[in-house]
Amino acid sequence: MHNLGAEMHHLCRELFPICRSITGNGFRESLSILGKHLPNLMTKEVPTGTKCFDWEVPKEWNITDAYIINPKGEKICDFQQLNLHVMGYSSPVDQVISLEALQQHLYSLPEQPDAVPYITSYYKERWGFCISQIERDKLVPGDYRVFIDSELKNGSLTYGELIIPGESQKEIFISSYLCHPSMANNELSGPIVATFIAKWLAGLKKRKYTYRIVIIPETIGSITYLSRNYKEMKKNIVAGFNLTCIGDERSYSYLPSRLGNTLADKSVLHVLSNLHPDFVTHSYLTRGSDERQYCSPGIDLPVCSIMRTKYGSYPEYHTSLDDLNLVTEKGLFGGYDVVQRTIKCLEHNEILRSTTLCEPQLGKRGLYPTVSTKSSGSEVRDMMNYLAYTDGKLSNLEIADKINTPLWALQETIDKLKSEGILELSEG
Amino acid sequence: MHNLGAEMHHLCRELFPICRSITGNGFRESLSILGKHLPNLMTKEVPTGTKCFDWEVPKEWNITDAYIINPKGEKICDFQQLNLHVMGYSSPVDQVISLEALQQHLYSLPEQPDAVPYITSYYKERWGFCISQIERDKLVPGDYRVFIDSELKNGSLTYGELIIPGESQKEIFISSYLCHPSMANNELSGPIVATFIAKWLAGLKKRKYTYRIVIIPETIGSITYLSRNYKEMKKNIVAGFNLTCIGDERSYSYLPSRLGNTLADKSVLHVLSNLHPDFVTHSYLTRGSDERQYCSPGIDLPVCSIMRTKYGSYPEYHTSLDDLNLVTEKGLFGGYDVVQRTIKCLEHNEILRSTTLCEPQLGKRGLYPTVSTKSSGSEVRDMMNYLAYTDGKLSNLEIADKINTPLWALQETIDKLKSEGILELSEG
Amino acid sequence: MHNLGAEMHHLCRELFPICRSITGNGFRESLSILGKHLPNLMTKEVPTGTKCFDWEVPKEWNITDAYIINPKGEKICDFQQLNLHVMGYSSPVDQVISLEALQQHLYSLPEQPDAVPYITSYYKERWGFCISQIERDKLVPGDYRVFIDSELKNGSLTYGELIIPGESQKEIFISSYLCHPSMANNELSGPIVATFIAKWLAGLKKRKYTYRIVIIPETIGSITYLSRNYKEMKKNIVAGFNLTCIGDERSYSYLPSRLGNTLADKSVLHVLSNLHPDFVTHSYLTRGSDERQYCSPGIDLPVCSIMRTKYGSYPEYHTSLDDLNLVTEKGLFGGYDVVQRTIKCLEHNEILRSTTLCEPQLGKRGLYPTVSTKSSGSEVRDMMNYLAYTDGKLSNLEIADKINTPLWALQETIDKLKSEGILELSEG
């Protein structure tokens, strides 16, 4: 674990300083860094103005520098120091204005005076600076030079897509988003865990399912991706996971799909309830990420979210405090572990059927104690309980839930019973 | 509110002194007073002896006077003072009898010594007087003249029926009963609220549903009405409400239909749980009003009861204490408000479908804040949650329940989304 | 009750000393004693080696004597004193061995030092003695003669079967097992209650259902019986009960069928929840008796277990302490009473339909008070509630559950309503 957690945190540090947005070079640069881990990751570009359902791809935004010069001639809100200082998608500006006029363009958080907030204005052209309340309170009347060297132009929206083929055309879908500037949990943790999960999957000798992994900008990215792929996705995806805020150490949490009780929901719930029984289940009514699109009426994909501490429910969320201390090696590894176990559960989720009526005679196969004592019953309890439900209708995941045992603890037994010919694959 | 509550209480005072029973002139007179508010209310007469399923319409009962003269020559149990003093359906009598003989014909409530009970004997001919325990205890041995000037003859059973047409032949059904003498909550409150609801409905510019409103005697009235109309009712009624005990201020309560979970149940539960979350749900096993007939096997109408404090569960029930103080302007208005909101929910209960895949772009239509801040998500939460379920399968009422928001709080949003073309009526 | 309880306990004392096992003369002798109560009980023999699904009938085991002579020449672990001293299915032995060698063949319970455990080794040939920890601790080094005069040979497995015909070919199934040596609750109580239930059933003038009652050895017996009869059983059995540990006074308990919610489950739950509301419901995951076979995938019979204190959950279980004091007259009668009431509920479980629409006029039939008072409603509550659900779809058992009344308390009312023509049998 230490290796993987450290490697993921290293990647997080590498990506952290880049100024990303829903379009532009920061997103491209970040994606190419992920690509060093995933040689088959494809970069797709969708031109500005492309219609995507009710939306269209916005202009591409790039920025090279920004700052304010205060009346004393000091540079403040320096983009080079912290890219959160500029409101995302700010239009270019180079003016000298009064403090009063400047105040209309400043954003701060009175209740978190040391935090610089993260603010964007994707769909209306304006400019602005984000500043801590402490610094804002120090501003004195006078002339301020405001400078933003940004460009909003026809360009394209960028996303990454990786298809890892499996034995079946049926797909497991993993989605995360890379459109936030220097914030670590929301959102570098998601694409980083997705990248390392993809790396593990690509290295497996065989996979039952095909894996579709996308790294996109949030909202407009999932809408764009769906508009190009939803028919195929609806046909093939059996379970999907949105990975977000998955790198801190505070909690584990889950936000269900809109349909609820899909295979995606069942598998995550199986892992979390067995591994982290104090996990938090959020209501779909509190959703705020790409499940909004994946689960929207008519799309209806079986996608739920796997998180550590959910966006909006930790104080550092969408501020400069969501940094490389909040996200840890241990936090990232814990998120990775849950996603990996969930996928393993799906890969092992066969429907098996007992090949004999009544309980099989396990003793003659060396699978059962031959002396009946007061305690021998409980020793083989799990095996017998598992067998009691192998009627060719319930999947291994459903049986594991019924008998209150994690599927990973049953797997060795299942493999043994299969090799003894006591179980066979059910036609369905 | 004050106007309506006051108007309803005024009507209650007007009706209160009349001696009503399940047949007779008191019922007719009361119905004609309601008719002053409802010009289209039709009075129907069903002759004595008419077969109604397992029952037949009883003889018509009328009474002009009744009293007892005690040994001192004083008039007690004077019908002119309080019509509850005479057992309902008493046969005529004019005798002088001993106290001992009289006691066989007296009814009182030892546990409520100041209350005159309400007693009837519809289906066996006998006579009796109801008296407070306090007065009863004062009776001394001697000769008592008992006098009841009543008449039991072939006549008819009377009821009122009002059909208010709507766009659809599908009906909302409202039933209440007017067969009790001078008692206010059980039962003048029900027909009074029904009358004012009918008045409001009749004044609407348009109605989706047709409304069938009946004012009947309890039990034999609903059986009689059903025997003449149940086939049409079963075909058309989508939701029905029995209004009873709906004028006091103590509580709000609901008694489900036998089938449970009908549209009638769902709509009342939506209103009460949002408006009066401390409302009481009674078990169908404790029913005692006309839902006994409307929900009986083979009839199976979707009818539940809306009440304030349920019959049998307040101490004044079926006594002279159920008077014009127990029922108040505020109490009546509260009941009216629940019934009206329930009907509005039904009128607005469309099934809508999103016209686009994924979330619509609300920003370009001015329906969404253009700056993304820490809090803007919650500002439009209700609208987005509503939209998340407009899949053309769930009704507005079901969606409102799912997102824990009263339908009336969503209505403006829904209308706006419809007018923007984001929602359309679903065929199914 | 006293008679029946005493008779059952008398039979228990008669059977107690016999050394039974899954095969052999002890089982045969015990069965013939039950046969004195049940003249039509048939004894069946299935030869050693007969294939039964994944199993085969084992060799037959008989034993005539066994003991150990200690270094002082004293006889200990004397089979004649307590047949539990010999491990079930011990192979014959006659050797002199050291204490150290003997220890490998001794079984005791350190945590219950005064109890002799019950141990068997059906499917691997070995020999052993069971001894209390207190006695074991007294053993001194020296030469021990171990003597077991047993025989393991080709023979047969014995079971009892009794078919009591009824009006319908549909069957109620009762199963219990008789393969344990001198222990009273687990398991003489089960076959004894089954025997007295069979006696009662055989004496009834008429029975709706046919009854199939089997007294078998546990596990191999039910597997053997199923392998010969399961097709017919699957076709005919509507409810079945495994009777075990049904003779102590501590608790009442129930272990559901694997399918859950079968008619068998519903009827037992109806009886226990009304009669012994503090009964214990065990999880199917803690099963350990013949429901393991009856409910196995592909067999899927509607069989649940009726118990007093469940095997494995009382300290005397599978030791010499499970004796004639633990099982009492009152304990046996309580178990018998639950089984009998369950069967009566099934025999009376008709689906009836009201012959009229709306409530029937009960007054004219003398079934309803003619004076309406404050309290008369509750007097006929049960009758009216029952009638409210006679829609020809719900069975009497389902209605009784719905209205929270035991079926036996409703039966007189139901019979009266049937004889008045208010109810008729539903076609289904």
Side-chain angles (χ1 to χ4, degrees), chain A residues 54-55 126 258 287 292, chain B residues 359 361 364-365 371 385:
Chain A
D54 193 44
W55 301 62
R126 45 160 85 87
R258 184 174 73 94
R287 76 202 174 284
R292 290 164 58 174
Chain B
E359 292 183 332
Q361 224 282 41
K364 69 185 182 190
R365 297 178 177 91
V371 185
N385 275 342

Side-chain angles (χ1 to χ4, degrees), chain A residues 178-351:
Chain A
L178 189 61
C179 55
H180 286 31
S182 294
M183 289 179 296
N185 200 34
N186 179 234
E187 191 63 88
L188 283 174
S189 62
I192 287 168
V193 168
T195 296
F196 276 76
I197 286 291
K199 222 168 148 173
W200 162 69
L201 285 166
L204 290 179
K205 285 208 191 89
K206 66 177 218 165
R207 291 164 297 272
K208 182 158 81 178
Y209 291 109
T210 293
Y211 288 80
R212 179 188 295 264
I213 297 160
V214 299
I215 308 292
I216 53 182
E218 205 179 9
T219 304
I220 186 64
S222 48
I223 292 169
T224 300
Y225 190 81
L226 282 166
S227 72
R228 304 172 124 209
N229 298 287
Y230 81 100
K231 283 184 187 166
E232 199 184 336
M233 292 167 81
K234 276 173 78 78
K235 203 177 90 195
N236 289 334
I237 290 172
V238 297
F241 307 99
N242 181 50
L243 305 187
T244 172
C245 299
I246 193 165
D248 72 309
E249 293 184 23
R250 285 173 181 153
S251 63
Y252 287 91
S253 67
Y254 150 78
L255 193 140
S257 71
R258 184 174 73 94
L259 299 174
N261 209 25
T262 69
L263 182 58
D265 296 278
K266 284 181 194 170
S267 58
V268 176
L269 284 170
H270 181 76
V271 171
L272 287 175
S273 59
N274 278 289
L275 203 63
H276 303 294
D278 57 344
F279 77 100
V280 176
T281 294
H282 294 284
S283 161
Y284 187 70
L285 301 182
T286 67
R287 76 202 174 284
S289 182
D290 284 321
E291 70 286 314
R292 290 164 58 174
Q293 315 311 329
Y294 296 134
C295 298
S296 62
I299 298 292
D300 295 327
L301 289 171
V303 174
C304 60
S305 288
I306 303 177
M307 298 167 285
R308 298 220 44 170
T309 311
K310 178 176 173 268
Y311 46 84
S313 66
Y314 58 96
E316 301 87 351
Y317 169 71
H318 271 201
T319 76
S320 55
L321 305 179
D322 184 348
D323 61 15
L324 292 163
N325 295 313
L326 183 67
V327 163
T328 65
E329 296 182 10
K330 195 175 156 198
L332 288 164
F333 183 78
Y336 173 90
D337 182 46
V338 168
V339 177
Q340 188 186 47
R341 279 179 198 263
T342 301
I343 289 172
K344 283 182 180 172
C345 281
L346 291 168
E347 287 276 330
H348 287 122
N349 191 32
E350 295 172 317
I351 299 180

Side-chain angles (χ1 to χ4, degrees), chain C residues 392-411:
Chain C
K393 287 174 201 144
L394 294 174
S395 72
N396 281 338
L397 202 52
E398 289 167 320
I399 299 178
D401 275 338
K402 256 190 193 298
I403 70 174
N404 305 321
T405 307
L407 184 51
W408 53 89
L410 289 170
Q411 200 56 49

